[in-house]
Amino acid sequence: GVKVTKKKKKSKAENGHRGGDDSDGGSSGDDDDAAGVTTEEEREEKEILLSLAQNLTPSQVLFPGNSVDADGDEHASEEDGVTMDPRRILQDLTSASRARVLFESLLAPSGVTADEFYRTYWEKKPLLVTKPRVSFATDNGDNGGGGSKAAPQNHKTRLDNILSKKDIETMLAKCSLRYGRELNVTRYADAGDGSRTKRRITLDLPPKRVKKKPGKSSGQGEEDLQPVVADPKDVWSNFVSGCTVRLLCPHLHSDSVHSLLSTLELEFGCMVGSNAYLTPGGDSQGFAPHYDDIEAFILQLEGRKRWRVYPPPNRAETLPRISSRDYTEEDMEGTAPVIDTVLEPGDILYMPR
């Protein structure tokens, strides 16, 4: 999966309004003017963008040149007797409008619009975006863990072409990924100290000492520390034995991930980064329970992964400025998760910092 992270750390209380990135329920509408008035033209534009998001998958928004889906559906619609191709309309949009369509498309299966997301979920509570499910119960409008009936049928393929295991294999083979810089190999397992306590164990090779180049004056001594380039055979051997492979900057080596992030930067109005995680099947786990100092969107691209999301430990650790220490299983005893789910391809999980 890919974790997309919005890295601007100013809170809404400091910003006071949303200018393309932060927002709260007390600010004016996301696309409204200072008086809170939306013109008919603006309302019509919102409807067009939302319609595009409901008819196109995120993959189609990012890569409009792919004219046909895996299911063979071309998504052409008819209006006033004229056949309309959503992808052709998409190519005529401004960059900012296209970014909004991408974000709306990412959220689409939940039935939550971008405006509603910023108003109800952003920095407030997690949101699970998953495939539609059949239910005879009345929709309460929460959408905290279900899907929308309007979501496209090709849910499992909607995030295709962003990143795959095969892409990661190619990166490892060709890009000289370095431990601690572009790559981590880790697992969450018994610490082996007799305490039977699980801890995160990192298998990265330590930097090697090399002689400084002639004329280099920075630092002290005559040696530098140089990160070790990962041997693909070692990485895959550890993966098979149950370790998680984490790519720290996949967008440096993947045009598709770079496109995803750069487009979302236009929506959020700030830098957006990413990590990619490849975890073997079974009961493997790469990291201990913890929280981060970023807004995180988990995109499940292949396979399945269980996630348990817990409420903040206390008020002081709500919307934190720094990431937490690693918690143990004993630390989490007695705390019920607010979300306990298995993500499948096409699913997205948003977690506030």
Side-chain angles (χ1 to χ4, degrees):
V2 169
K3 179 164 72 175
V4 177
T5 57
K6 179 180 181 297
K7 295 190 174 182
K8 186 172 182 180
K9 296 183 182 178
K10 282 189 177 182
S11 68
K12 294 175 299 197
E14 293 171 306
N15 284 317
H17 68 282
R18 178 175 184 264
D21 49 301
D22 292 331
S23 167
D24 66 13
S27 65
S28 63
D30 293 330
D31 293 311
D32 297 347
D33 58 25
V37 177
T38 302
T39 66
E40 185 64 32
E41 183 177 347
E42 291 171 332
R43 188 176 294 109
E44 182 178 343
E45 180 181 1
K46 278 188 176 183
E47 291 176 356
I48 292 174
L49 299 185
L50 186 58
S51 177
L52 285 172
Q54 291 173 343
N55 283 278
L56 297 174
T57 66
S59 180
Q60 291 170 329
V61 177
L62 286 170
F63 318 112
N66 298 341
S67 59
V68 181
D69 289 337
D71 60 3
D73 192 359
E74 296 191 7
H75 286 284
S77 60
E78 188 169 315
E79 184 174 323
D80 296 330
V82 179
T83 301
M84 308 289 288
D85 184 352
R87 274 164 290 225
R88 187 176 295 274
I89 300 174
L90 182 69
Q91 291 173 339
D92 293 334
L93 296 178
T94 64
S95 297
S97 293
R98 184 175 173 184
R100 173 50 66 98
V101 173
L102 173 62
F103 191 49
E104 293 275 18
S105 180
L106 289 168
L107 298 174
S110 69
V112 176
T113 65
D115 288 351
E116 183 183 355
F117 173 82
Y118 290 122
R119 186 169 55 248
T120 305
Y121 294 93
W122 182 252
E123 293 189 334
K124 294 183 177 70
K125 58 182 180 179
L127 173 67
L128 175 61
V129 180
T130 188
K131 61 185 176 182
R133 60 189 183 190
V134 177
S135 174
F136 297 99
T138 302
D139 184 7
N140 61 11
D142 184 14
N143 290 302
S148 165
K149 292 180 180 179
Q153 295 298 315
N154 50 349
H155 182 86
K156 288 188 176 182
T157 61
R158 75 189 196 102
L159 302 178
D160 279 3
N161 303 316
I162 294 177
L163 190 70
S164 66
K165 183 181 177 182
K166 185 176 180 180
D167 294 333
I168 295 175
E169 291 173 347
T170 300
M171 286 186 200
L172 278 166
K174 297 183 177 181
C175 298
S176 299
L177 304 184
R178 298 166 294 175
Y179 286 113
R181 293 287 183 88
E182 293 97 10
L183 177 105
N184 292 134
V185 177
T186 181
R187 65 183 179 188
Y188 182 60
D190 192 317
D193 56 5
S195 65
R196 295 186 179 181
T197 300
K198 285 187 174 182
R199 301 188 187 281
R200 184 180 66 172
I201 302 171
T202 300
L203 281 72
D204 294 359
L205 294 181
K208 60 182 180 181
R209 295 184 179 275
V210 296
K211 288 186 177 181
K212 287 184 179 179
K213 295 181 179 179
K216 190 173 182 180
S217 58
S218 60
Q220 298 180 353
E222 299 180 353
E223 293 182 326
D224 275 338
L225 293 178
Q226 186 177 88
V228 175
V229 174
D231 184 330
K233 292 181 180 179
D234 292 340
V235 173
W236 292 119
S237 175
N238 285 322
F239 174 76
V240 171
S241 68
C243 294
T244 289
V245 177
R246 174 170 69 171
L247 302 184
L248 298 174
C249 304
H251 46 285
L252 295 180
H253 307 287
S254 168
D255 290 343
S256 55
V257 177
H258 187 278
S259 178
L260 170 68
L261 303 188
S262 61
T263 304
L264 288 176
E265 284 180 347
L266 294 172
E267 170 65 22
F268 294 135
C270 70
M271 190 182 93
V272 178
S274 70
N275 290 337
Y277 300 81
L278 183 62
T279 302
D283 58 356
S284 298
Q285 183 173 337
F287 293 83
H290 67 283
Y291 61 74
D292 294 315
D293 61 344
I294 45 83
E295 312 295 315
F297 294 83
I298 312 299
L299 280 61
Q300 190 69 25
L301 305 180
E302 295 182 6
R304 304 166 74 244
K305 181 178 284 189
R306 183 183 181 188
W307 282 85
R308 280 166 287 188
V309 182
Y310 296 87
N314 51 61
R315 186 178 181 86
E317 293 179 275
T318 301
L319 300 181
R321 295 294 183 177
I322 58 175
S323 299
S324 74
R325 63 177 175 85
D326 284 349
Y327 293 102
T328 64
E329 292 180 334
E330 289 74 17
D331 293 329
M332 307 309 298
E333 287 182 357
T335 303
V338 294
I339 289 180
D340 187 346
T341 190
V342 175
L343 296 186
E344 299 187 358
D347 292 347
I348 294 176
L349 174 62
Y350 162 72
M351 294 183 289
R353 67 180 195 274

